[in-house]
Amino acid sequence: MSDTYRIFGAELSPYSVKVRSYFRYKRIPHEWVVRTMDNMSEFQKHAKLPLIPLVIAPSGEAMQDSTPIIERMEALHPEPSILPGDASLAFLSALIEEYADEWVNKPMFHYRWTYEADRQSAAERLARANLPGAAEDAILKLSESLKQRMIPRLGFVGSSASTRDQIEASFTRLLRLLEAHLGERRYLFGGRPALADFGLYAQLYECSIDPTAGALLREAAPAVLEWIERMLDPKGEGDFEGWQTLGATLEPLLQAEVAGVFLPWSAANARALAAGEAEFSVALEGATFAQSTQKYHAKSLRALVQRYRAAGGRERLDPILHKTGCLTWLQAE
């Protein structure tokens, strides 16, 4: 039996390239399979949900959802570890990965499907990937269909005329904070990638290949772009650092982005879901952010809180979370 995994994904899917980057880092034998109309029947045979990535193990086991895939593979292939040896830093890495998956996806999706140049670019690339070798009229037809399908989904990530400024401000602030942090090191937690790198890189990689967000990255964040390039095929280049060297530039990101926007938004979504509300709003930085309530985000927050409660190194972790404003949100849930 072959020892090669098969990863069904797409270049324009952040969660697909996240898993691909992980497999490349671990040097796990794998085949990258672009999901197309031609192989859809094989995909559907194994997928429980119509979502990518789908990983098919050599045993035939099928896995979906990027974080559980990585956690499952990390148990099977623990070296080189993506978990800092300091348990407090391992939790901070998981916290940033959660922020990336659930919040940084907002600006990625917002820029891609709000602005016409980005819509056209993404729709055409998706059409060509789904219909390899097809005639131009078929590409054009599918591109238009994709735009009509994706633009209404902006509401699912909370992107609207009233939230545009908040989403874009968060993105530019993230770039500024990351530029300061990555200007001094190869990866988020030092000389090798951690779980956080895979989650955050994936969203920002997608931004980098789109016209509007890509232009912002090239203008404001050259060190971030270099890190994105490294994460396409990451390699261990040193050890994880300690908080004493990471804190000066990682603390502002935790404070401004994770505690400033992500955790209050995530907690408000969970409260609305528990109350049976179809929509919710939350005050973020003095402005109202409103969107439809999302079940998956609430489930993901519960998993994060459980991870916090089980985390080791709390004598080191809690002071960091308290200082950055994260602790209140994690203890409240």
Side-chain angles (χ1 to χ4, degrees):
M1 180 172 59
S2 170
D3 64 350
T4 300
Y5 288 77
R6 304 186 76 211
I7 306 173
F8 280 80
E11 202 69 29
L12 271 71
S13 160
Y15 304 105
S16 296
V17 300
K18 172 185 173 183
V19 168
R20 183 181 67 184
S21 176
Y22 175 84
F23 271 71
R24 286 176 174 176
Y25 176 58
K26 291 288 186 160
R27 299 298 183 258
I28 300 170
H30 65 279
E31 178 187 3
W32 172 251
V33 182
V34 178
R35 189 184 65 176
T36 68
M37 299 297 186
D38 292 338
N39 58 34
M40 187 62 71
S41 60
E42 182 184 3
F43 172 85
Q44 291 173 337
K45 175 183 175 182
H46 295 277
K48 293 182 179 179
L49 297 170
L51 303 173
I52 50 177
L54 166 72
V55 174
I56 303 175
S59 65
E61 177 190 3
M63 296 176 278
Q64 289 182 282
D65 197 340
S66 63
T67 301
I69 289 170
I70 289 175
E71 290 175 340
R72 167 81 169 135
M73 298 306 298
E74 189 70 8
L76 295 173
H77 301 270
E79 296 298 334
S81 179
I82 63 169
L83 304 175
D86 183 329
S88 64
L89 296 182
F91 176 78
L92 293 177
S93 174
L95 176 60
I96 293 172
E97 189 243 10
E98 177 76 359
Y99 154 76
D101 278 1
E102 311 304 332
W103 180 268
V104 186
N105 180 254
K106 293 181 183 299
M108 188 286 293
F109 199 89
H110 163 80
Y111 281 109
R112 178 168 286 176
W113 297 108
T114 295
Y115 297 103
E116 183 55 35
D118 299 83
R119 292 171 175 174
Q120 189 61 39
S121 172
E124 182 177 336
R125 284 178 288 156
L126 284 168
R128 292 190 185 282
N130 276 278
L131 296 174
E136 285 302 307
D137 59 342
I139 297 295
L140 178 60
K141 183 178 180 180
L142 181 56
S143 294
E144 290 303 314
S145 174
L146 287 167
K147 282 197 289 185
Q148 295 306 311
R149 186 192 313 168
M150 299 303 290
I151 292 171
R153 294 184 183 180
L154 283 164
F156 287 106
V157 301
S159 172
S160 65
S162 63
T163 62
R164 176 181 300 188
D165 290 347
Q166 291 163 288
I167 291 173
E168 295 187 0
S170 173
F171 179 69
T172 56
R173 180 172 55 238
L174 172 61
L175 294 188
R176 174 175 54 80
L177 294 169
L178 270 184
E179 186 68 12
H181 185 68
L182 289 168
E184 301 180 1
R185 54 189 50 82
R186 303 293 282 174
Y187 299 98
L188 291 175
F189 284 81
R192 64 177 75 178
L195 178 62
D197 289 272
F198 295 99
L200 193 52
Y201 133 82
Q203 303 295 337
L204 294 180
Y205 168 71
E206 297 299 333
C207 292
S208 76
I209 62 174
D210 287 347
T212 303
L216 291 171
L217 270 159
R218 289 188 294 275
E219 178 182 354
V224 177
L225 275 175
E226 291 176 3
W227 165 72
I228 290 170
E229 287 293 321
R230 284 194 290 277
M231 286 301 298
L232 287 170
D233 189 6
K235 298 174 178 63
E237 302 178 45
D239 295 328
F240 291 118
E241 298 176 37
W243 184 252
Q244 64 272 19
T245 56
L246 293 167
T249 48
L250 201 54
E251 186 177 292
L253 190 152
L254 291 169
Q255 184 171 25
E257 282 292 299
V258 178
V261 291
F262 166 59
L263 286 175
W265 165 82
S266 189
N269 174 75
R271 288 193 300 270
L273 182 68
E277 298 169 356
E279 297 181 348
F280 73 98
S281 62
V282 58
L284 298 179
E285 301 185 307
T288 299
F289 189 99
Q291 72 165 97
S292 59
T293 307
Q294 302 294 314
K295 290 182 180 180
Y296 182 87
H297 297 319
K299 176 183 176 182
S300 190
L301 178 61
R302 286 195 301 272
L304 178 67
V305 170
Q306 290 170 1
R307 186 190 290 260
Y308 163 71
R309 291 171 178 167
R314 291 280 291 278
E315 71 282 358
R316 296 182 300 278
L317 174 61
D318 282 356
I320 297 169
L321 295 175
H322 174 72
K323 185 177 182 182
T324 57
C326 296
L327 187 59
T328 300
W329 300 105
L330 293 169
Q331 290 182 335
E333 293 304 313

